[in-house]
Amino acid sequence: MSPPVFRFAPSPNGYLHLGHAFSAMLNDGLAREAGGRFLLRIEDIDTTRCKPEFEAAIDEDLAWLGIIWETPVRRQSEHFACYRAALEKLAGLGLVYPAFESRAETARLVAEREQEAPWPRDPDGAPLYPGTARALAPEEQARRLQSGASYALRLDMAAACARVGQLSWIERGKGPEGESGSVAANPAAWGDVIIARKETPTSYHLAVVVDDALQGITEVVRGLDLFWSTSVHRLLQALLGLPQPVYRHHGLIRDASGQKLSKSTEATGLRELRAAGVTPAEIRHRVGLG
Ligand code: GLU
């Protein structure tokens, strides 16, 4: 049997903090324990917010923690062609449509709907897509595309779900309500998610699924904040005919006041802690892996 394959997949849009250290060390430790492989993937599809200096800092911080990863590192910005191929496959199934509303327009539509009744939110708390672009007449759609208007490509969630039926995943960690074992996926809770944009042939969801398959990832170990995203990932895997890894979502490290850590909170930044003389062993202890 081939060894299990783990990955740590940060976005270089800021400096790493204790939460990243926990996730990376947990992945690395589980890989070692299982005689598996450990890969680093740089999730930099957002080319405006991701910066080479943040990527360099990721390497530096992980090496300082004593983590060893395989090279070459997969950098998502270098693989847009792979994501485009997956996107075309979904489009070929008739599951993708362009939505032309700007963020402001979308917000206005939601506000309008909310005058009648509360508008449904996705698991992250964002309102579901309230627009009607899916029903746009083909001529009107063609006219807008030709006009050079900006758009997002959305997944026709109802049609996608109807195609694959009920899905589930194996959870080795714990969900927000203690879910574990076989968890029923509920992609419909996300509405018509964005899977690409006019200028970028992918989204986080699409790239992560394509890459996990291409890199042969068998164990996805990541933060609890991504637990319900797994529903969308399972749906895309099923639509694209990709294998499914097992998942282990871990708790998030919080600051002294119980808040989720952010990349800009210096008190828990790995480079600040290093500069203050904290050792990797102390970091390990602080995140509960000591
Ligand atoms: N790039 C994502 C993040 O930094 C993690 C993606 C994943 O582990 O699936 O939050």
Side-chain angles (χ1 to χ4, degrees):
M1 230 180 75
S2 23
V5 187
F6 295 76
R7 83 327 188 251
F8 175 57
S11 291
N13 55 10
Y15 294 113
L16 299 189
H17 53 57
L18 281 175
H20 299 105
F22 175 53
S23 199
M25 289 192 291
L26 184 62
N27 266 288
D28 177 60
L30 288 167
R32 282 176 206 236
E33 233 168 72
R37 299 169 54 202
F38 174 67
L39 312 183
L40 171 65
R41 180 167 77 224
I42 297 297
E43 301 213 323
D44 59 349
I45 58 170
D46 183 347
T47 48
T48 53
R49 290 177 61 220
C50 294
K51 304 259 182 296
E53 60 263 36
F54 292 134
E55 189 185 327
I58 288 173
D59 289 359
E60 206 177 295
D61 289 342
L62 294 181
W64 173 68
L65 289 172
I67 290 172
I68 298 167
W69 60 93
E70 287 182 20
T71 52
V73 166
R74 187 173 173 90
R75 195 172 288 118
Q76 291 188 323
S77 59
E78 293 170 354
H79 297 281
F80 282 158
C82 295
Y83 313 132
R84 195 184 303 276
L87 179 63
E88 276 164 14
K89 190 161 172 185
L90 296 172
L93 298 172
L95 298 176
V96 176
Y97 65 90
F100 300 92
E101 295 91 349
S102 63
R103 277 176 222 267
E105 263 168 287
T106 305
R108 190 183 52 74
L109 286 172
V110 171
E112 221 174 83
R113 306 254 188 303
E114 293 219 297
Q115 293 189 336
E116 320 268 308
W119 186 250
R121 312 264 146 175
D122 70 23
D124 282 348
L128 300 196
Y129 172 62
T132 52
R134 187 168 12 107
L136 221 54
E139 312 79 61
E140 179 57 15
Q141 191 185 91
R143 192 191 64 73
R144 293 207 201 174
L145 287 172
Q146 268 165 21
S147 76
S150 190
Y151 57 85
L153 289 169
R154 290 184 176 271
L155 187 70
D156 181 341
M157 185 56 83
C161 288
R163 208 183 154 89
V164 296
Q166 179 64 53
L167 300 167
S168 60
W169 77 86
I170 300 298
E171 176 63 43
R172 293 213 170 127
K174 250 198 211 112
E177 313 274 330
E179 298 89 341
S180 71
S182 176
V183 177
N186 181 16
W190 293 92
D192 287 2
V193 283
I194 293 179
I195 52 162
R197 294 182 186 276
K198 184 184 180 190
E199 316 293 347
T200 313
T202 187
S203 64
Y204 158 66
H205 294 308
L206 186 60
V208 87
V209 157
V210 167
D211 282 351
D212 283 341
L214 270 169
Q215 295 190 288
I217 304 299
T218 60
E219 319 261 336
V220 172
V221 178
R222 61 183 177 193
L224 199 50
D225 50 341
L226 292 169
F227 185 82
W228 285 116
S229 292
T230 311
S231 288
V232 178
H233 301 170
R234 283 293 300 118
L235 175 62
L236 293 174
Q237 284 158 0
L239 293 169
L240 295 167
L242 303 175
Q244 52 166 315
V246 299
Y247 291 84
R248 180 190 297 261
H249 291 91
H250 58 71
L252 303 176
I253 306 286
R254 305 200 170 259
D255 68 14
S257 58
Q259 293 297 310
K260 239 177 91 171
L261 303 185
S262 93
K263 281 186 169 144
S264 50
T265 326
E266 293 192 359
T268 52
L270 295 182
R271 36 181 21 229
E272 282 79 12
L273 292 165
R274 181 163 76 238
V278 176
T279 66
E282 283 162 349
I283 301 275
R284 183 171 286 277
H285 189 76
R286 248 181 98 166
V287 299
L289 288 171

